[in-house]
PDB file of all heavy atoms in Angstrom:
ATOM      1  N   GLN O   1    -147.253 -43.181 -39.699  1.00  0.00           N
ATOM      2  CA  GLN O   1    -148.068 -42.009 -40.003  1.00  0.00           C
ATOM      3  C   GLN O   1    -149.467 -42.342 -40.521  1.00  0.00           C
ATOM      4  O   GLN O   1    -150.376 -41.532 -40.380  1.00  0.00           O
ATOM      5  CB  GLN O   1    -147.334 -41.116 -41.014  1.00  0.00           C
ATOM      6  CG  GLN O   1    -146.067 -40.510 -40.457  1.00  0.00           C
ATOM      7  CD  GLN O   1    -146.341 -39.510 -39.352  1.00  0.00           C
ATOM      8  OE1 GLN O   1    -147.097 -38.566 -39.533  1.00  0.00           O
ATOM      9  NE2 GLN O   1    -145.738 -39.725 -38.194  1.00  0.00           N
ATOM     10  N   ASP O   2    -149.648 -43.515 -41.100  1.00  0.00           N
ATOM     11  CA  ASP O   2    -150.946 -43.875 -41.679  1.00  0.00           C
ATOM     12  C   ASP O   2    -151.753 -44.824 -40.799  1.00  0.00           C
ATOM     13  O   ASP O   2    -152.803 -45.303 -41.213  1.00  0.00           O
ATOM     14  CB  ASP O   2    -150.751 -44.510 -43.064  1.00  0.00           C
ATOM     15  CG  ASP O   2    -150.105 -43.532 -44.040  1.00  0.00           C
ATOM     16  OD1 ASP O   2    -150.391 -42.321 -43.950  1.00  0.00           O
ATOM     17  OD2 ASP O   2    -149.300 -43.973 -44.881  1.00  0.00           O
ATOM     18  N   GLN O   3    -151.280 -45.096 -39.609  1.00  0.00           N
ATOM     19  CA  GLN O   3    -151.952 -46.051 -38.725  1.00  0.00           C
ATOM     20  C   GLN O   3    -152.870 -45.306 -37.758  1.00  0.00           C
ATOM     21  O   GLN O   3    -152.475 -44.294 -37.189  1.00  0.00           O
ATOM     22  CB  GLN O   3    -150.902 -46.852 -37.943  1.00  0.00           C
ATOM     23  CG  GLN O   3    -151.436 -48.026 -37.181  1.00  0.00           C
ATOM     24  CD  GLN O   3    -151.770 -49.205 -38.074  1.00  0.00           C
ATOM     25  OE1 GLN O   3    -151.381 -49.257 -39.237  1.00  0.00           O
ATOM     26  NE2 GLN O   3    -152.501 -50.153 -37.535  1.00  0.00           N
ATOM     27  N   ASP O   4    -154.080 -45.804 -37.592  1.00  0.00           N
ATOM     28  CA  ASP O   4    -155.001 -45.237 -36.608  1.00  0.00           C
ATOM     29  C   ASP O   4    -154.768 -45.927 -35.267  1.00  0.00           C
ATOM     30  O   ASP O   4    -154.816 -47.154 -35.179  1.00  0.00           O
ATOM     31  CB  ASP O   4    -156.451 -45.433 -37.037  1.00  0.00           C
ATOM     32  CG  ASP O   4    -156.844 -44.525 -38.188  1.00  0.00           C
ATOM     33  OD1 ASP O   4    -156.314 -43.405 -38.257  1.00  0.00           O
ATOM     34  OD2 ASP O   4    -157.683 -44.931 -39.010  1.00  0.00           O
ATOM     35  N   PHE O   5    -154.514 -45.153 -34.238  1.00  0.00           N
ATOM     36  CA  PHE O   5    -154.293 -45.688 -32.904  1.00  0.00           C
ATOM     37  C   PHE O   5    -155.319 -45.107 -31.944  1.00  0.00           C
ATOM     38  O   PHE O   5    -155.837 -44.015 -32.159  1.00  0.00           O
ATOM     39  CB  PHE O   5    -152.898 -45.306 -32.380  1.00  0.00           C
ATOM     40  CG  PHE O   5    -151.753 -45.954 -33.100  1.00  0.00           C
ATOM     41  CD1 PHE O   5    -150.847 -45.195 -33.814  1.00  0.00           C
ATOM     42  CD2 PHE O   5    -151.563 -47.327 -33.042  1.00  0.00           C
ATOM     43  CE1 PHE O   5    -149.769 -45.777 -34.456  1.00  0.00           C
ATOM     44  CE2 PHE O   5    -150.488 -47.925 -33.695  1.00  0.00           C
ATOM     45  CZ  PHE O   5    -149.595 -47.154 -34.397  1.00  0.00           C
ATOM     46  N   ASP O   6    -155.574 -45.845 -30.885  1.00  0.00           N
ATOM     47  CA  ASP O   6    -156.387 -45.372 -29.768  1.00  0.00           C
ATOM     48  C   ASP O   6    -155.471 -45.240 -28.559  1.00  0.00           C
ATOM     49  O   ASP O   6    -154.751 -46.189 -28.227  1.00  0.00           O
ATOM     50  CB  ASP O   6    -157.507 -46.364 -29.437  1.00  0.00           C
ATOM     51  CG  ASP O   6    -158.534 -46.463 -30.551  1.00  0.00           C
ATOM     52  OD1 ASP O   6    -158.961 -45.414 -31.055  1.00  0.00           O
ATOM     53  OD2 ASP O   6    -158.907 -47.598 -30.900  1.00  0.00           O
ATOM     54  N   LEU O   7    -155.498 -44.090 -27.903  1.00  0.00           N
ATOM     55  CA  LEU O   7    -154.707 -43.887 -26.690  1.00  0.00           C
ATOM     56  C   LEU O   7    -155.390 -44.631 -25.558  1.00  0.00           C
ATOM     57  O   LEU O   7    -156.502 -44.288 -25.159  1.00  0.00           O
ATOM     58  CB  LEU O   7    -154.570 -42.401 -26.368  1.00  0.00           C
ATOM     59  CG  LEU O   7    -153.728 -42.050 -25.149  1.00  0.00           C
ATOM     60  CD1 LEU O   7    -152.330 -42.630 -25.245  1.00  0.00           C
ATOM     61  CD2 LEU O   7    -153.675 -40.551 -24.970  1.00  0.00           C
ATOM     62  N   GLU O   8    -154.734 -45.686 -25.060  1.00  0.00           N
ATOM     63  CA  GLU O   8    -155.343 -46.585 -24.082  1.00  0.00           C
ATOM     64  C   GLU O   8    -154.783 -46.459 -22.673  1.00  0.00           C
ATOM     65  O   GLU O   8    -155.505 -46.683 -21.709  1.00  0.00           O
ATOM     66  CB  GLU O   8    -155.183 -48.042 -24.549  1.00  0.00           C
ATOM     67  CG  GLU O   8    -155.944 -48.365 -25.812  1.00  0.00           C
ATOM     68  CD  GLU O   8    -157.447 -48.350 -25.617  1.00  0.00           C
ATOM     69  OE1 GLU O   8    -157.919 -48.715 -24.535  1.00  0.00           O
ATOM     70  OE2 GLU O   8    -158.153 -47.945 -26.560  1.00  0.00           O
ATOM     71  N   SER O   9    -153.481 -46.150 -22.545  1.00  0.00           N
ATOM     72  CA  SER O   9    -152.879 -46.225 -21.219  1.00  0.00           C
ATOM     73  C   SER O   9    -151.782 -45.188 -21.039  1.00  0.00           C
ATOM     74  O   SER O   9    -151.232 -44.666 -22.011  1.00  0.00           O
ATOM     75  CB  SER O   9    -152.309 -47.622 -20.981  1.00  0.00           C
ATOM     76  OG  SER O   9    -151.276 -47.882 -21.914  1.00  0.00           O
ATOM     77  N   GLU O  10    -151.470 -44.928 -19.761  1.00  0.00           N
ATOM     78  CA  GLU O  10    -150.371 -44.051 -19.386  1.00  0.00           C
ATOM     79  C   GLU O  10    -149.663 -44.706 -18.205  1.00  0.00           C
ATOM     80  O   GLU O  10    -150.308 -45.101 -17.236  1.00  0.00           O
ATOM     81  CB  GLU O  10    -150.870 -42.672 -18.982  1.00  0.00           C
ATOM     82  CG  GLU O  10    -151.578 -41.944 -20.110  1.00  0.00           C
ATOM     83  CD  GLU O  10    -152.088 -40.581 -19.687  1.00  0.00           C
ATOM     84  OE1 GLU O  10    -151.250 -39.733 -19.299  1.00  0.00           O
ATOM     85  OE2 GLU O  10    -153.309 -40.370 -19.744  1.00  0.00           O
ATOM     86  N   ILE O  11    -148.335 -44.836 -18.325  1.00  0.00           N
ATOM     87  CA  ILE O  11    -147.569 -45.427 -17.235  1.00  0.00           C
ATOM     88  C   ILE O  11    -146.580 -44.409 -16.675  1.00  0.00           C
ATOM     89  O   ILE O  11    -146.253 -43.428 -17.330  1.00  0.00           O
ATOM     90  CB  ILE O  11    -146.855 -46.732 -17.655  1.00  0.00           C
ATOM     91  CG1 ILE O  11    -145.850 -46.496 -18.775  1.00  0.00           C
ATOM     92  CG2 ILE O  11    -147.884 -47.799 -18.045  1.00  0.00           C
ATOM     93  CD1 ILE O  11    -144.981 -47.721 -19.097  1.00  0.00           C
ATOM     94  N   PHE O  12    -146.131 -44.679 -15.458  1.00  0.00           N
ATOM     95  CA  PHE O  12    -145.289 -43.761 -14.699  1.00  0.00           C
ATOM     96  C   PHE O  12    -145.991 -42.412 -14.550  1.00  0.00           C
ATOM     97  O   PHE O  12    -145.388 -41.355 -14.640  1.00  0.00           O
ATOM     98  CB  PHE O  12    -143.896 -43.613 -15.320  1.00  0.00           C
ATOM     99  CG  PHE O  12    -143.058 -44.850 -15.168  1.00  0.00           C
ATOM    100  CD1 PHE O  12    -143.106 -45.865 -16.112  1.00  0.00           C
ATOM    101  CD2 PHE O  12    -142.249 -45.018 -14.056  1.00  0.00           C
ATOM    102  CE1 PHE O  12    -142.354 -47.022 -15.964  1.00  0.00           C
ATOM    103  CE2 PHE O  12    -141.493 -46.169 -13.899  1.00  0.00           C
ATOM    104  CZ  PHE O  12    -141.543 -47.179 -14.844  1.00  0.00           C
ATOM    105  N   ILE O  13    -147.301 -42.496 -14.297  1.00  0.00           N
ATOM    106  CA  ILE O  13    -148.110 -41.285 -14.172  1.00  0.00           C
ATOM    107  C   ILE O  13    -147.619 -40.434 -12.999  1.00  0.00           C
ATOM    108  O   ILE O  13    -147.778 -39.203 -13.013  1.00  0.00           O
ATOM    109  CB  ILE O  13    -149.609 -41.640 -14.053  1.00  0.00           C
ATOM    110  CG1 ILE O  13    -150.485 -40.427 -14.306  1.00  0.00           C
ATOM    111  CG2 ILE O  13    -149.935 -42.313 -12.737  1.00  0.00           C
ATOM    112  CD1 ILE O  13    -150.482 -39.927 -15.727  1.00  0.00           C
ATOM    113  N   ASP O  14    -146.986 -41.081 -12.017  1.00  0.00           N
ATOM    114  CA  ASP O  14    -146.443 -40.355 -10.870  1.00  0.00           C
ATOM    115  C   ASP O  14    -145.203 -39.538 -11.212  1.00  0.00           C
ATOM    116  O   ASP O  14    -144.779 -38.698 -10.429  1.00  0.00           O
ATOM    117  CB  ASP O  14    -146.154 -41.320  -9.717  1.00  0.00           C
ATOM    118  CG  ASP O  14    -145.294 -42.509 -10.115  1.00  0.00           C
ATOM    119  OD1 ASP O  14    -145.473 -43.050 -11.234  1.00  0.00           O
ATOM    120  OD2 ASP O  14    -144.436 -42.919  -9.306  1.00  0.00           O
ATOM    121  N   GLU O  15    -144.620 -39.755 -12.383  1.00  0.00           N
ATOM    122  CA  GLU O  15    -143.454 -38.973 -12.817  1.00  0.00           C
ATOM    123  C   GLU O  15    -143.824 -37.909 -13.852  1.00  0.00           C
ATOM    124  O   GLU O  15    -142.969 -37.139 -14.287  1.00  0.00           O
ATOM    125  CB  GLU O  15    -142.376 -39.903 -13.385  1.00  0.00           C
ATOM    126  CG  GLU O  15    -141.784 -40.827 -12.335  1.00  0.00           C
ATOM    127  CD  GLU O  15    -140.651 -41.689 -12.856  1.00  0.00           C
ATOM    128  OE1 GLU O  15    -139.973 -41.292 -13.834  1.00  0.00           O
ATOM    129  OE2 GLU O  15    -140.437 -42.781 -12.285  1.00  0.00           O
ATOM    130  N   LYS O  16    -145.096 -37.856 -14.247  1.00  0.00           N
ATOM    131  CA  LYS O  16    -145.537 -36.876 -15.244  1.00  0.00           C
ATOM    132  C   LYS O  16    -145.447 -35.470 -14.663  1.00  0.00           C
ATOM    133  O   LYS O  16    -145.952 -35.209 -13.582  1.00  0.00           O
ATOM    134  CB  LYS O  16    -146.980 -37.162 -15.665  1.00  0.00           C
ATOM    135  CG  LYS O  16    -147.470 -36.250 -16.785  1.00  0.00           C
ATOM    136  CD  LYS O  16    -148.953 -36.414 -17.028  1.00  0.00           C
ATOM    137  CE  LYS O  16    -149.795 -35.604 -16.107  1.00  0.00           C
ATOM    138  NZ  LYS O  16    -149.505 -34.172 -16.026  1.00  0.00           N
ATOM    139  N   PRO O  17    -144.796 -34.549 -15.380  1.00  0.00           N
ATOM    140  CA  PRO O  17    -144.746 -33.175 -14.889  1.00  0.00           C
ATOM    141  C   PRO O  17    -146.107 -32.492 -15.038  1.00  0.00           C
ATOM    142  O   PRO O  17    -146.960 -32.934 -15.816  1.00  0.00           O
ATOM    143  CB  PRO O  17    -143.696 -32.512 -15.793  1.00  0.00           C
ATOM    144  CG  PRO O  17    -143.676 -33.330 -17.033  1.00  0.00           C
ATOM    145  CD  PRO O  17    -144.052 -34.724 -16.636  1.00  0.00           C
ATOM    146  N   ASP O  18    -146.298 -31.428 -14.310  1.00  0.00           N
ATOM    147  CA  ASP O  18    -147.588 -30.719 -14.320  1.00  0.00           C
ATOM    148  C   ASP O  18    -147.818 -29.885 -15.579  1.00  0.00           C
ATOM    149  O   ASP O  18    -148.934 -29.458 -15.825  1.00  0.00           O
ATOM    150  CB  ASP O  18    -147.687 -29.799 -13.096  1.00  0.00           C
ATOM    151  CG  ASP O  18    -147.795 -30.579 -11.807  1.00  0.00           C
ATOM    152  OD1 ASP O  18    -148.262 -31.741 -11.831  1.00  0.00           O
ATOM    153  OD2 ASP O  18    -147.399 -30.024 -10.761  1.00  0.00           O
ATOM    154  N   TYR O  19    -146.790 -29.652 -16.393  1.00  0.00           N
ATOM    155  CA  TYR O  19    -146.947 -28.719 -17.517  1.00  0.00           C
ATOM    156  C   TYR O  19    -147.661 -29.292 -18.730  1.00  0.00           C
ATOM    157  O   TYR O  19    -147.875 -28.587 -19.714  1.00  0.00           O
ATOM    158  CB  TYR O  19    -145.614 -28.086 -17.918  1.00  0.00           C
ATOM    159  CG  TYR O  19    -144.539 -29.044 -18.404  1.00  0.00           C
ATOM    160  CD1 TYR O  19    -144.511 -29.507 -19.711  1.00  0.00           C
ATOM    161  CD2 TYR O  19    -143.524 -29.445 -17.546  1.00  0.00           C
ATOM    162  CE1 TYR O  19    -143.515 -30.365 -20.154  1.00  0.00           C
ATOM    163  CE2 TYR O  19    -142.517 -30.287 -17.976  1.00  0.00           C
ATOM    164  CZ  TYR O  19    -142.520 -30.745 -19.282  1.00  0.00           C
ATOM    165  OH  TYR O  19    -141.529 -31.585 -19.706  1.00  0.00           O
ATOM    166  N   TYR O  20    -148.064 -30.558 -18.706  1.00  0.00           N
ATOM    167  CA  TYR O  20    -148.909 -31.086 -19.780  1.00  0.00           C
ATOM    168  C   TYR O  20    -149.912 -32.072 -19.205  1.00  0.00           C
ATOM    169  O   TYR O  20    -149.714 -32.623 -18.126  1.00  0.00           O
ATOM    170  CB  TYR O  20    -148.093 -31.717 -20.922  1.00  0.00           C
ATOM    171  CG  TYR O  20    -147.346 -32.994 -20.582  1.00  0.00           C
ATOM    172  CD1 TYR O  20    -148.007 -34.220 -20.533  1.00  0.00           C
ATOM    173  CD2 TYR O  20    -145.976 -32.989 -20.359  1.00  0.00           C
ATOM    174  CE1 TYR O  20    -147.324 -35.392 -20.239  1.00  0.00           C
ATOM    175  CE2 TYR O  20    -145.286 -34.152 -20.066  1.00  0.00           C
ATOM    176  CZ  TYR O  20    -145.978 -35.351 -20.007  1.00  0.00           C
ATOM    177  OH  TYR O  20    -145.299 -36.514 -19.719  1.00  0.00           O
ATOM    178  N   ALA O  21    -151.013 -32.251 -19.947  1.00  0.00           N
ATOM    179  CA  ALA O  21    -152.050 -33.198 -19.545  1.00  0.00           C
ATOM    180  C   ALA O  21    -152.818 -33.619 -20.792  1.00  0.00           C
ATOM    181  O   ALA O  21    -152.935 -32.845 -21.744  1.00  0.00           O
ATOM    182  CB  ALA O  21    -152.997 -32.565 -18.538  1.00  0.00           C
ATOM    183  N   PHE O  22    -153.311 -34.850 -20.789  1.00  0.00           N
ATOM    184  CA  PHE O  22    -154.118 -35.368 -21.890  1.00  0.00           C
ATOM    185  C   PHE O  22    -155.546 -35.552 -21.394  1.00  0.00           C
ATOM    186  O   PHE O  22    -155.763 -35.987 -20.258  1.00  0.00           O
ATOM    187  CB  PHE O  22    -153.550 -36.704 -22.393  1.00  0.00           C
ATOM    188  CG  PHE O  22    -152.206 -36.547 -23.045  1.00  0.00           C
ATOM    189  CD1 PHE O  22    -151.040 -36.599 -22.296  1.00  0.00           C
ATOM    190  CD2 PHE O  22    -152.102 -36.313 -24.413  1.00  0.00           C
ATOM    191  CE1 PHE O  22    -149.796 -36.436 -22.877  1.00  0.00           C
ATOM    192  CE2 PHE O  22    -150.865 -36.144 -25.001  1.00  0.00           C
ATOM    193  CZ  PHE O  22    -149.713 -36.206 -24.233  1.00  0.00           C
ATOM    194  N   SER O  23    -156.507 -35.243 -22.237  1.00  0.00           N
ATOM    195  CA  SER O  23    -157.907 -35.343 -21.819  1.00  0.00           C
ATOM    196  C   SER O  23    -158.502 -36.725 -22.070  1.00  0.00           C
ATOM    197  O   SER O  23    -159.602 -37.003 -21.604  1.00  0.00           O
ATOM    198  CB  SER O  23    -158.748 -34.275 -22.542  1.00  0.00           C
ATOM    199  OG  SER O  23    -158.728 -34.497 -23.941  1.00  0.00           O
ATOM    200  N   ASN O  24    -157.795 -37.597 -22.774  1.00  0.00           N
ATOM    201  CA  ASN O  24    -158.291 -38.944 -23.053  1.00  0.00           C
ATOM    202  C   ASN O  24    -158.509 -39.724 -21.756  1.00  0.00           C
ATOM    203  O   ASN O  24    -157.728 -39.601 -20.817  1.00  0.00           O
ATOM    204  CB  ASN O  24    -157.294 -39.731 -23.913  1.00  0.00           C
ATOM    205  CG  ASN O  24    -156.889 -38.998 -25.156  1.00  0.00           C
ATOM    206  OD1 ASN O  24    -156.329 -37.919 -25.076  1.00  0.00           O
ATOM    207  ND2 ASN O  24    -157.136 -39.581 -26.296  1.00  0.00           N
ATOM    208  N   GLU O  25    -159.540 -40.533 -21.726  1.00  0.00           N
ATOM    209  CA  GLU O  25    -159.750 -41.455 -20.613  1.00  0.00           C
ATOM    210  C   GLU O  25    -158.838 -42.651 -20.843  1.00  0.00           C
ATOM    211  O   GLU O  25    -158.980 -43.362 -21.838  1.00  0.00           O
ATOM    212  CB  GLU O  25    -161.215 -41.906 -20.568  1.00  0.00           C
ATOM    213  CG  GLU O  25    -162.182 -40.817 -20.186  1.00  0.00           C
ATOM    214  CD  GLU O  25    -161.996 -40.342 -18.755  1.00  0.00           C
ATOM    215  OE1 GLU O  25    -161.693 -41.181 -17.866  1.00  0.00           O
ATOM    216  OE2 GLU O  25    -162.136 -39.130 -18.518  1.00  0.00           O
ATOM    217  N   THR O  26    -157.864 -42.847 -19.946  1.00  0.00           N
ATOM    218  CA  THR O  26    -156.881 -43.911 -20.100  1.00  0.00           C
ATOM    219  C   THR O  26    -156.716 -44.669 -18.789  1.00  0.00           C
ATOM    220  O   THR O  26    -157.025 -44.149 -17.714  1.00  0.00           O
ATOM    221  CB  THR O  26    -155.503 -43.348 -20.499  1.00  0.00           C
ATOM    222  OG1 THR O  26    -155.049 -42.472 -19.469  1.00  0.00           O
ATOM    223  CG2 THR O  26    -155.551 -42.618 -21.829  1.00  0.00           C
ATOM    224  N   LYS O  27    -156.201 -45.883 -18.901  1.00  0.00           N
ATOM    225  CA  LYS O  27    -155.775 -46.630 -17.718  1.00  0.00           C
ATOM    226  C   LYS O  27    -154.449 -46.023 -17.293  1.00  0.00           C
ATOM    227  O   LYS O  27    -153.555 -45.845 -18.121  1.00  0.00           O
ATOM    228  CB  LYS O  27    -155.601 -48.107 -18.063  1.00  0.00           C
ATOM    229  CG  LYS O  27    -155.138 -48.946 -16.894  1.00  0.00           C
ATOM    230  CD  LYS O  27    -154.984 -50.406 -17.286  1.00  0.00           C
ATOM    231  CE  LYS O  27    -154.470 -51.200 -16.098  1.00  0.00           C
ATOM    232  NZ  LYS O  27    -154.212 -52.595 -16.449  1.00  0.00           N
ATOM    233  N   LYS O  28    -154.311 -45.699 -15.998  1.00  0.00           N
ATOM    234  CA  LYS O  28    -153.101 -45.040 -15.506  1.00  0.00           C
ATOM    235  C   LYS O  28    -152.441 -45.898 -14.431  1.00  0.00           C
ATOM    236  O   LYS O  28    -153.107 -46.389 -13.531  1.00  0.00           O
ATOM    237  CB  LYS O  28    -153.446 -43.655 -14.950  1.00  0.00           C
ATOM    238  CG  LYS O  28    -153.914 -42.685 -16.023  1.00  0.00           C
ATOM    239  CD  LYS O  28    -154.364 -41.370 -15.419  1.00  0.00           C
ATOM    240  CE  LYS O  28    -154.711 -40.332 -16.435  1.00  0.00           C
ATOM    241  NZ  LYS O  28    -155.761 -40.664 -17.345  1.00  0.00           N
TER     242      LYS O  28
END
């Protein structure tokens, strides 16, 4: 809870359902 993280990547992007999306620029 106290750690700062940067969202860097997304894997299995081909299995992601359409009902959510992230606006971060990530490696996919």
